[in-house]
């Protein structure tokens, strides 16, 4: 039992590459003390990845390195990578890096008649020992055997080279060019190497994409899919996201929508933090306006927000929002809002996702807006769009980022949802639809909530208008045939007002009539009172006369 526990606790020794995303795919880095083969066609990034591996080793892990080039002179190599922020001269001056260029001439090899790598071993060994290097790069291996036709000698020297690198205990990268039917020109390096990575640079429908795939990795688990990678001013970044487990943390905190009146349509008062919201609708239904309201609301609470716009430049977006009283420029100057605008065709789908991942890492936003995701259809197939959106939403959920997507629907096909909407509608937590409500020669806007996971919500369609002061949700106006909008709403309100006025007038008339009758009644009562008092007074006089008469009449004597 103890032996079994020990075997399970064994961790395969690896050297971290320091390249963003690559360590995740390789589950920790390249095999420590063993050679790794990186092969690919021209322009796929072999030299850059190798150089970045060395520089990251020096700057982040304090592991000196040796770069031996058989093609590019040291000066050219230094200039090429300087544009990416890599200062080779400083690293060489600090005795952390050795860059050596070995010139190999085919004519000289043919004249010598015999060929072995003893001279290379001596030269490379001296470079390794001089700085106690832990990492080595040989770029590219084809140049070593450019003039060698004897396959037996070639295979023997290749095996000897890889064995020698292992005995030196260095983690080595050897670059090679792709062959026609094999991974490399010689077809042997991939079998001798402990780890083989293939880089590919392809152009599909005029969109360029670089991809990376791990063909094999002895002794270790690794990602087996193709992973897109990006070369920018910071070097190489790999997108490792393929399929993530649905075990991300969730929050019960409510994030307000920013649109006046829309919060009340959600019984919780807004969205859950970390949720995904889809706002879909046809052109001109204020999807972008709603997205900007949400961005402004988040920035107002000092939440870092990234706005991806595929149709408008940042200047145009800021100007348009000012016309409705929404000032985004102050949030940009404050540093809480970043607007990134580009056409979807600038990069492939995966590179857009990779760019977003880099921005998340650098800017650390809590809110992301993509406007609109439907434009991504132009740079990918149905399967690719759906796959990219799944990866995007998984990535945002893992980082607990509240995301709002807009999607453009077509006017023609109202019964079948658009591709982007269909792909993402089942994945998002909240789905809001804005639509045109046409009738009586006019066009009005309405908003309703299709779904909101974990939260009750209104089932009514609310009409809204956009004025110089922004969006205003109007109160529900019901008519005989349902909700009234536009002129029908105004006509109904006018009818109600007229009915109310007529009722008030009738009430006033009745009040006046009652007042008159009251006065008549009071007058009649007063007259009756007077008659009664007169009669009472006459009766009193009669009684008084009778009493007086009785007193004056003498009484008869009794016999």
């Amino acid at each position: 039992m103890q032996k079994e526990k020990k075997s399970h606790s064994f961790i395969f020794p690896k050297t971290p590459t320091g390249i963003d995303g690559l360590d995740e795919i390789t589950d920790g880095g390249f095999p420590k003390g063993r050679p790794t083969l990186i092969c690919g066609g021209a322009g796929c990034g072999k030299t850059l990845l190798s150089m970045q591996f060395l520089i990251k080793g020096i700057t982040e892990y304090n592991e000196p390195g040796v770069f031996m080039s058989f093609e590019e002179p040291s000066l050219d190599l230094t200039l090429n990578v300087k544009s990416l922020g890599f200062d080779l001269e400083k690293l060489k001056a600090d005795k952390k890096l050795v860059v050596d260029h070995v010139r190999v001439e085919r004519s000289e090899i043919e004249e010598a008649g015999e060929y072995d790598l003893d001279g290379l071993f001596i030269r490379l060994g001296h470079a390794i020992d001089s700085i106690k290097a832990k990492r080595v790069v040989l770029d590219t291996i084809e140049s070593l055997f450019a003039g060698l036709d004897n396959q037996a000698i070639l295979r023997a020297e290749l095996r000897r080279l890889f064995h020698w690198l292992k005995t030196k205990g260095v983690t080595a990268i050897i670059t090679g060019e792709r062959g026609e039917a094999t991974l490399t020109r010689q077809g042997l390096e991939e079998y001798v190497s402990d780890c083989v990575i293939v880089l590919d640079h392809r152009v599909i429908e005029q969109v360029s994409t670089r991809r990376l795939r791990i063909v094999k990795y002895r002794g270790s688990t690794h990602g087996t899919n193709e992973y897109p990678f990006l070369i920018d001013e910071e070097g190489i970044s790999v997108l490792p996201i393929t399929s993530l487990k649905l075990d991300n943390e969730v929050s019960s905190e409510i994030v307000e929508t920013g649109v006046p009146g829309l919060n009340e349509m959600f019984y919780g008062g807004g969205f859950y933090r970390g949720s995904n919201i889809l706002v879909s609708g046809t052109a001109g239904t204020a999807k972008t306006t709603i997205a900007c309201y949400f961005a402004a609301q988040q920035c107002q609470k000092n939440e870092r927000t990234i706005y991806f716009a595929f149709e408008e430049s940042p200047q145009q977006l800021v100007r348009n929002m000012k016309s409705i009283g929404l000032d985004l420029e102050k949030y940009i100057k404050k540093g809480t809002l970043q607007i990134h605008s580009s056409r979807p065709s600038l990069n492939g789908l995966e590179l857009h996702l990779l760019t977003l991942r880099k921005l998340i890492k650098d800017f650390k936003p809590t809110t992301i807006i993509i406007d609109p995701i439907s434009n991504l259809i132009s740079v990918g197939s149905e399967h690719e769009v759906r796959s990219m959106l799944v990866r995007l939403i998984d990535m945002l959920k893992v980082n607990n980022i509240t995301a709002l997507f807009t999607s453009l629907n077509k006017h023609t096909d109202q019964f079948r949802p658009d591709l982007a909407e269909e792909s993402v509608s089942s994945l998002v937590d909240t789905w809001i639809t804005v639509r045109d409500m046409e009738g009586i020669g006019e066009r009005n806007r309405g908003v309703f909530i299709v779904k909101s996971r974990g939260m009750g919500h209104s089932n009514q369609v609310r009409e809204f208008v956009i004025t110089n002061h922004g969006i205003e949700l109007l109160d529900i106006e019901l008519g005989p045939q349902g909700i009234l909008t536009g002129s029908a709403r105004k006509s109904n309100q006018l009818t109600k007002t007229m009915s109310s006025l007529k009722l008030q007038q009738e009430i006033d008339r009745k009040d006046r009539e009652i007042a008159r009758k009251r006065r008549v009644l009071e007058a009649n009562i007063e007259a009756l009172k007077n008659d009664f008092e007169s009669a009472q007074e006459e009766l009193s006089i009669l009684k008084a006369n009778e009493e007086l008469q009785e007193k004056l009449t003498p009484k008869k004597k009794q016999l």
Side-chain angles (χ1 to χ4, degrees):
M1 293 294 293
Q2 291 180 351
K3 289 183 179 179
E4 288 180 4
K5 289 182 179 179
K6 287 182 180 179
S7 63
H8 285 300
S9 62
F10 173 74
I11 299 176
F12 189 86
K14 295 185 178 182
T15 298
T17 65
I19 298 173
D20 189 22
L22 186 55
D23 288 337
E24 297 177 50
I25 297 171
T26 56
D27 196 19
F30 293 154
K32 188 173 184 178
R34 299 186 182 187
T36 295
L37 174 66
I38 297 179
C39 53
C44 63
K46 302 185 297 296
T47 302
L48 178 59
L49 190 147
S50 304
M51 182 59 74
Q52 194 167 340
F53 169 74
L54 287 185
I55 293 173
K56 292 291 184 179
I58 296 169
T59 56
E60 296 183 7
Y61 304 102
N62 195 27
E63 294 185 357
V66 174
F67 190 100
M68 183 165 284
S69 172
F70 303 109
E71 291 184 346
E72 293 183 270
S74 301
L75 182 59
D76 293 347
L77 195 62
T78 301
L79 290 175
N80 292 343
V81 300
K82 196 169 186 178
S83 61
L84 301 174
F86 301 155
D87 191 354
L88 301 188
E89 294 299 331
K90 183 179 184 302
L91 296 177
K92 286 193 279 186
D94 294 339
K95 304 296 183 183
K96 295 290 185 180
L97 176 66
V98 173
V99 179
D100 190 10
H101 174 240
V102 177
R103 187 175 63 87
V104 179
E105 290 291 341
R106 180 183 178 91
S107 59
E108 294 179 2
I109 296 173
E110 289 177 343
E111 289 173 2
E114 295 181 0
Y115 186 78
D116 60 51
L117 298 178
D118 289 341
L120 175 67
F121 294 159
I122 295 172
R123 189 164 178 172
L124 184 56
H126 173 73
I128 293 172
D129 296 337
S130 64
I131 59 171
K132 298 181 180 179
K134 299 294 183 182
R135 304 186 181 203
V136 171
V137 172
L138 302 180
D139 182 44
T140 64
I141 197 169
E142 278 78 20
S143 300
L144 277 175
F145 307 102
L148 190 61
D149 296 326
N150 192 322
Q151 292 295 316
I153 297 177
L154 186 149
R155 290 173 176 268
E157 290 301 309
L158 271 175
R159 293 180 183 276
R160 189 163 163 243
L161 170 62
F162 279 72
H163 179 72
W164 183 86
L165 290 170
K166 285 185 179 181
T167 59
K168 295 296 290 184
V170 294
T171 304
I173 287 181
I174 298 170
T175 65
E177 297 177 1
R178 288 291 298 269
E180 294 182 2
T182 56
L183 295 178
T184 58
R185 293 279 183 88
Q186 314 303 334
L188 179 66
E189 298 93 322
E190 58 263 34
Y191 297 102
V192 182
S193 303
D194 291 87
C195 177
V196 178
I197 296 177
V198 175
L199 305 183
D200 181 33
H201 187 195
R202 67 188 70 165
V203 178
I204 301 176
E205 294 183 359
Q206 301 179 0
V207 177
S208 169
T209 306
R210 291 182 171 90
R211 297 181 184 271
L212 176 149
R213 181 169 65 93
I214 302 175
V215 177
K216 76 171 185 178
Y217 197 139
R218 288 174 180 162
S220 173
T221 58
H222 58 86
T224 56
N225 295 334
E226 279 193 325
Y227 304 93
F229 67 94
L230 179 66
I231 299 177
D232 59 10
E233 65 276 1
E234 297 179 0
I236 288 180
S237 300
V238 185
L239 182 65
I241 299 173
T242 50
S243 58
L244 299 173
K245 297 179 181 179
L246 296 176
D247 57 356
N248 54 286
E249 298 292 332
V250 296
S251 173
S252 298
E253 182 184 351
I254 297 298
V255 177
E256 294 183 358
T257 65
V259 179
L262 187 57
N263 289 333
E264 287 72 17
M265 296 183 69
F266 295 92
Y267 296 165
F271 315 128
Y272 284 123
R273 180 175 293 280
S275 61
N276 299 284
I277 304 99
L278 173 65
V279 180
S280 64
T282 53
T285 50
K287 300 181 297 298
T288 299
T289 304
I290 293 174
C292 288
Y293 260 93
F294 182 56
Q297 172 69 22
Q298 292 298 92
C299 293
Q300 189 176 355
K301 294 188 175 182
N302 293 322
E303 302 275 356
R304 289 175 170 263
T305 303
I306 295 179
Y307 194 114
F308 277 92
F310 290 137
E311 294 180 338
E312 297 179 271
S313 66
Q315 297 82 0
Q316 184 179 358
L317 194 64
V318 170
R319 182 205 64 188
N320 293 346
M321 291 304 108
K322 277 185 179 179
S323 66
I324 59 172
L326 200 61
D327 187 7
L328 298 180
E329 190 172 6
K330 64 180 180 181
Y331 301 120
I332 297 174
K333 292 179 179 178
K334 188 179 179 182
T336 55
L337 176 63
Q338 286 188 0
I339 301 177
H340 296 271
S341 297
S342 64
R343 290 295 182 190
S345 56
L346 177 65
N347 293 315
L349 289 172
E350 303 293 354
L351 290 189
H352 281 297
L353 187 55
L354 182 55
T355 303
L356 180 59
R357 183 175 181 269
K358 285 178 62 65
L359 289 171
I360 290 174
K361 181 180 179 182
D362 297 338
F363 190 60
K364 295 180 175 57
T366 59
T367 306
I368 283 181
I369 297 169
I370 300 180
D371 177 33
I373 58 171
S374 49
N375 278 22
L376 297 173
I377 298 174
S378 61
V379 292
S381 64
E382 179 178 351
H383 173 73
E384 290 173 336
V385 171
R386 185 174 285 110
S387 174
M388 182 267 188
L389 292 175
V390 170
R391 296 183 187 191
L392 172 62
I393 290 176
D394 285 345
M395 180 178 68
L396 296 174
K397 282 186 175 293
V398 166
N399 290 277
N400 197 31
I401 294 174
T402 308
L404 186 145
F405 313 117
T406 69
S407 178
L408 176 65
N409 296 346
K410 298 177 183 177
H411 286 278
T412 53
D413 192 357
Q414 297 179 356
F415 299 100
R416 175 179 173 81
D418 290 299
L419 174 58
E421 183 183 88
E422 185 180 13
S423 301
V424 78
S425 59
S426 62
L427 302 172
V428 296
D429 302 300
T430 301
W431 184 5
I432 300 172
T433 297
V434 283
R435 66 181 187 184
D436 291 326
M437 297 183 291
E438 298 183 4
I440 321 177
E442 63 180 15
R443 172 176 168 269
N444 302 294
R445 297 182 177 96
V447 57
F448 69 95
I449 302 170
V450 180
K451 73 171 183 178
S452 184
R453 287 173 179 161
M455 185 183 298
H457 54 86
S458 172
N459 64 343
Q460 293 179 315
V461 179
R462 293 284 300 273
E463 183 186 3
F464 67 95
V465 295
I466 302 177
T467 66
N468 293 336
H469 305 290
I471 291 180
E472 179 185 356
L473 263 69
L474 305 179
D475 294 331
I476 299 294
E477 192 77 28
L478 294 176
Q481 298 179 349
I483 295 177
L484 302 177
T485 61
S487 298
R489 169 195 288 274
K490 293 179 181 179
S491 177
N492 190 59
Q493 289 176 345
L494 181 60
T495 303
K496 284 184 176 181
T497 303
M498 293 298 294
S499 299
S500 178
L501 288 173
K502 288 180 179 179
L503 178 61
Q504 188 62 44
Q505 289 173 356
E506 185 66 19
I507 291 172
D508 293 342
R509 188 184 66 80
K510 289 290 185 182
D511 285 341
R512 291 192 298 271
E513 184 178 350
I514 289 173
R516 287 194 301 269
K517 289 184 176 182
R518 182 181 291 112
R519 289 194 296 270
V520 172
L521 178 62
E522 289 174 351
N524 291 336
I525 291 172
E526 189 66 29
L528 291 172
K529 261 186 186 181
N530 293 334
D531 291 343
F532 177 77
E533 289 175 355
S534 298
Q536 194 175 29
E537 187 177 357
E538 289 177 1
L539 180 61
S540 299
I541 293 172
L542 289 174
K543 286 183 177 180
N545 290 335
E546 185 180 2
E547 290 176 358
L548 181 60
Q549 199 172 23
E550 287 179 356
K551 287 181 181 181
L552 295 176
T553 302
K555 295 182 179 180
K556 293 181 180 182
K557 293 182 179 181
Q558 296 180 353
L559 293 178

